[in-house]
Amino acid sequence: MTGRIEDYALIGDLQTAALIGRDGSVDWLCLPRFDSPSCFAALLGEPRHGGWRLAPAAGGHCDTRAYRGDSLVLDSEWHTPTGVVRVTDFMPQRERHPRLVRIVEGVEGSVEMRGELRLSFNYGRIDPWVRRTDHHRIAVAGPDSAWLRVPPGVHTYGTDGTTASDFTATPGRRTAFVLTWQPSHLRTSARIDPEQALLDTLDTWRTWAAGCRYRGEWRDPVLRSLITLKALAYAPTGGIVAAPTAALPERIGGERNWDYRFCWLRDSSMTLAALLRGGFREEAAAWRQWLLRAIAGDPRDLQTMYGVAGERVVTETVAGWLPGYEGSRPVRFGNAAVGQLQLDVYGEVVDTLHLALLAGIPMERHVWSLLRSLMGYLEQHWREPDEGLWEIRNGRRHFVHSKVMCWVAADRAVRMAEATGLPAPVERWRAMRDAVHADVLANGYDPRRGVFVQYYGGEELDAATLFVVKSGFLPPDDPRVLRTVDAVRSGLDHGGFVRRYDGHGAGPGPGPGRDGTWPDGTWPDGTWPDGLPGGEGAFLACSFWLADALLATGRREEARELFTRVVALANDLGLLAEEWDPVCGRQLGNMPQAFTHVALVNTAFALAEPPQP
């Protein structure tokens, strides 16, 4: 049985990542890349869909676990009646092929240990042929092969499609298992020294983390968030995935089960902004090069997301053979939002290029040429409706957040042109900036209630309208900003946190509420305002955005209190998923989520700045 979403730990090698439960089971791993088909998919199904448990034979969850210092090396300890045992899990940054290393160390007494490895390729659909040679168990299925290096003295045998290992952990004995993936046509697998690999991995992470320039009171959650964001960057290309997982539900048993193992321009832009703020410039330079490659060509062909190497085909499919996390179906791989128009993406990209310039990364002429091309397209199309930040699947609208981010694109483009002196149609960009600003104030603002709404002509609230102050679109003391902040805080409240937008839980009891919605947030036909059935939890990034808005409007203590409450939702390792269910007290959605950790970093930095006079 899989654990709760927040029970999982993350390890990775900057090209892929694994999730490990408190029971010592690796329940999710895609090889060789983040967006490759999985070899372990028990997270979305059953043990037969692939996993690797390494723990005391008696079973049970670990008693303590922690990352070793500022790294992604995980130590888990079990305290049993006969002794104490530690399992250290990590993925060394690869030279050629990915490896998962698991080292078992006896701490006190003796503990009978058991390993159970079941490989199932292509998302739990293809069981491999397994053979034995020397100290390896080799599993082959089509183009994939996995080599398990078994240490001497460990009894290993096959049983019902599983490779089992039995041994005893005692003080002074360290037993290392190494699982290596490589293309199946290769006939040999290079060996590594697992102990040296551990030292090298620790040194690499500690050296990187030492560059963090945050010095505020929340250093631990900020640094853990930055390490997590770094772990989601695909090192060979600089692309950054939104999360390492797919199909973890936004509501247990619901249909909002999306694949986030791709590079959204929005999410990766925000991630780079957070890393830049933390003092990490190398990632920004690598991402900018990835961006140039990914979106090369006609700006009309710009996509919302790409594969980690810039691939444009991200077809959404349904894995009907997987029962889903706690029965949450359908299980989707790929993402149909790739074909949507999301105008806010242009603003996020241009804003990140501006932040990179401010951080001292020079504006090269070919990058400037790309920016001018993007702005030329946006000048012609900002007036169009789109699917927006929330990737609505029931038709395009004129979303206020999208228009505000179009304003951001024009504003930051003007600032960069003025700062660099590079050739640009600055007057046109200024005119566009003024036109978008006037359009939003005329059509995205409800004068009757005195608040900004989700889309032109609508009445619904949307937490993304907080960007009117976050982006500098309006000053924080503007009455329209103040009323919008208060409206979002009260109207989108969900157990002390913030929902994304209206239509969720408006009714006070059984039956529809005053606006016609039902207590679970659905309309009478069972759908939400975005056209999908079922509900979801509070969106954690939105709660951080509200804290930012409270801080900007002079309510520092309220911002600090909200920030502290959201940070407290992290699991014992400091990891956060996309959403929180305040009723059941559970994290929801893909885990860990870049969007959430980006927002945490940004709010922590804002709180660390001295109050404005």
Side-chain angles (χ1 to χ4, degrees):
M1 181 178 178
T2 57
R4 297 176 303 172
I5 290 173
E6 60 267 29
D7 285 339
Y8 284 95
L10 175 80
I11 62 172
D13 65 357
L14 305 186
Q15 296 189 46
T16 191
L19 262 63
I20 306 176
R22 292 178 182 272
D23 60 351
S25 180
V26 184
D27 286 343
W28 180 255
L29 177 60
C30 299
L31 294 172
R33 307 190 331 181
F34 289 107
D35 53 357
S36 298
S38 67
C39 62
F40 297 153
L43 180 67
L44 302 177
E46 302 168 0
R48 64 186 176 90
H49 294 117
W52 185 9
R53 183 178 177 275
L54 185 58
H61 288 182
C62 64
D63 294 277
T64 64
R65 62 177 182 172
Y67 288 117
R68 193 175 299 184
D70 298 329
S71 77
L72 270 188
V73 174
L74 178 70
D75 289 322
S76 304
E77 286 193 2
W78 282 260
H79 297 223
T80 76
T82 61
V84 178
V85 63
R86 178 185 303 121
V87 176
T88 298
D89 293 309
F90 66 98
M91 296 185 72
Q93 293 181 26
R94 68 184 80 168
E95 295 180 0
R96 188 177 181 190
H97 302 306
R99 290 183 169 89
L100 171 56
V101 180
R102 315 194 74 180
I103 300 175
V104 180
E105 177 185 6
V107 179
E108 295 178 10
S110 65
V111 180
E112 295 301 315
M113 298 293 292
R114 182 174 177 83
E116 296 176 342
L117 170 67
R118 182 169 187 129
L119 289 150
S120 189
F121 293 101
N122 198 25
Y123 302 115
R125 199 173 192 180
I126 300 176
D127 291 334
W129 171 56
V130 181
R131 61 189 174 91
R132 185 169 188 167
T133 175
D134 296 329
H135 292 292
H136 280 111
R137 288 273 180 165
I138 306 170
V140 176
D144 300 297
S145 73
W147 298 58
L148 175 65
R149 173 71 177 171
V150 181
V154 173
H155 178 48
T156 302
Y157 54 96
T159 172
D160 193 24
T162 298
T163 297
S165 305
D166 295 327
F167 60 101
T168 303
T170 56
R173 181 183 181 186
R174 291 170 64 85
T175 306
F177 297 82
V178 180
L179 181 68
T180 303
W181 178 96
Q182 62 185 40
S184 59
H185 66 271
L186 299 180
R187 302 184 62 181
T188 61
S189 177
R191 298 183 180 182
I192 65 167
D193 178 348
E195 298 291 351
Q196 186 61 50
L198 173 60
L199 295 176
D200 292 344
T201 301
L202 287 168
D203 182 66
T204 298
W205 277 110
R206 287 168 178 165
T207 299
W208 183 86
C212 178
R213 67 183 185 191
Y214 178 83
R215 297 294 182 267
E217 62 179 297
W218 291 287
R219 181 172 172 80
D220 287 347
V222 167
L223 185 51
R224 180 51 53 189
S225 291
L226 290 168
I227 290 171
T228 302
L229 295 174
K230 172 67 172 176
L232 300 182
Y234 183 67
T237 67
I240 301 172
V241 298
T245 56
L248 289 178
E250 296 172 13
R251 181 179 185 178
I252 302 299
E255 295 186 19
R256 298 166 183 272
N257 315 315
W258 314 113
D259 189 347
Y260 281 4
R261 298 170 301 141
F262 305 105
C263 303
W264 269 259
L265 293 184
R266 174 193 309 107
D267 297 56
S268 56
S269 297
M270 290 183 170
T271 298
L272 257 298
L275 287 168
L276 276 172
R277 207 166 188 177
F280 301 103
R281 291 178 45 179
E282 181 179 338
E283 289 73 18
W287 175 82
R288 196 169 69 172
Q289 292 305 312
W290 173 87
L291 176 70
L292 290 169
R293 295 189 299 269
I295 69 176
D298 195 318
R300 290 177 298 181
D301 298 328
L302 183 76
Q303 296 183 174
T304 60
M305 74 185 78
Y306 297 85
V308 294
E311 296 90 348
R312 289 177 174 265
V313 178
V314 187
T315 305
E316 184 175 301
T317 60
V318 172
W321 63 91
L322 288 173
Y325 179 87
E326 294 191 17
S328 304
R329 305 181 71 179
V331 173
R332 297 183 180 91
F333 298 122
N335 200 302
V338 68
Q340 291 186 348
L341 176 64
Q342 298 175 18
L343 291 171
D344 69 290
V345 164
Y346 292 85
E348 300 293 355
V349 169
V350 177
D351 189 42
T352 300
L353 293 176
H354 179 239
L355 290 172
L357 182 65
L358 294 177
I361 299 176
M363 176 59 69
E364 299 159 311
R365 287 193 174 273
H366 63 285
V367 179
W368 187 248
S369 178
L370 168 68
L371 182 143
R372 289 189 58 176
S373 179
L374 294 178
M375 288 301 302
Y377 176 82
L378 194 58
E379 283 182 89
Q380 300 299 318
H381 295 277
W382 71 264
R383 293 177 179 83
E384 296 178 9
D386 71 339
E387 280 89 2
L389 166 72
W390 305 128
E391 301 182 344
I392 303 300
R393 294 195 175 197
N394 66 343
R396 295 179 176 179
R397 298 172 183 171
H398 291 280
F399 288 102
V400 170
H401 172 262
S402 294
K403 304 302 186 190
V404 169
M405 295 311 296
C406 289
W407 176 89
V408 167
D411 179 72
R412 302 324 188 246
V414 168
R415 295 189 192 189
M416 284 188 282
E418 293 173 342
T420 63
L422 290 168
V426 179
E427 290 306 319
R428 286 209 330 255
W429 292 349
R430 289 194 184 106
M432 174 189 162
R433 179 176 63 182
D434 294 342
V436 176
H437 198 274
D439 192 63
V440 172
L441 294 183
N443 299 296
Y445 178 73
D446 180 354
R448 180 177 62 84
R449 291 184 296 164
V451 299
F452 287 94
V453 292
Q454 184 179 48
Y455 57 89
Y456 290 5
E459 296 184 353
E460 293 90 340
L461 295 172
D462 187 333
T465 57
L466 295 173
F467 276 76
V468 297
V469 64
K470 281 176 60 64
S471 66
F473 182 86
L474 286 176
D477 58 353
D478 189 295
R480 293 166 293 189
V481 167
L482 298 173
R483 286 192 293 266
T484 299
V485 171
D486 286 337
V488 166
R489 187 179 192 183
S490 60
L492 299 183
D493 177 81
H494 186 32
F497 303 97
V498 182
R499 293 188 186 274
R500 291 190 293 172
Y501 43 70
D502 255 347
H504 313 332
R514 291 189 299 273
D515 64 355
T517 63
W518 293 76
D520 67 352
T522 63
W523 296 93
D525 66 355
T527 65
W528 269 23
D530 61 6
L532 293 169
E536 64 177 13
F539 201 83
L540 294 178
C542 293
S543 300
F544 285 122
W545 296 348
L546 177 58
D548 292 338
L550 291 169
L551 182 62
T553 54
R555 298 152 77 173
R556 174 172 287 269
E557 287 308 312
E558 295 172 61
R560 178 188 173 87
E561 188 274 334
L562 176 57
F563 175 81
T564 303
R565 279 194 290 114
V566 183
V567 169
L569 301 180
N571 71 4
D572 55 317
L573 299 171
L575 302 180
L576 287 162
E578 185 176 30
E579 299 185 1
W580 173 256
D581 182 346
V583 177
C584 298
R586 297 185 60 174
Q587 292 193 33
L588 298 172
N590 284 304
M591 166 80 169
Q593 176 78 5
F595 219 46
T596 306
H597 285 281
V598 164
L600 184 156
V601 171
N602 288 337
T603 305
F605 267 96
L607 284 167
E609 295 173 357
Q612 296 297 316

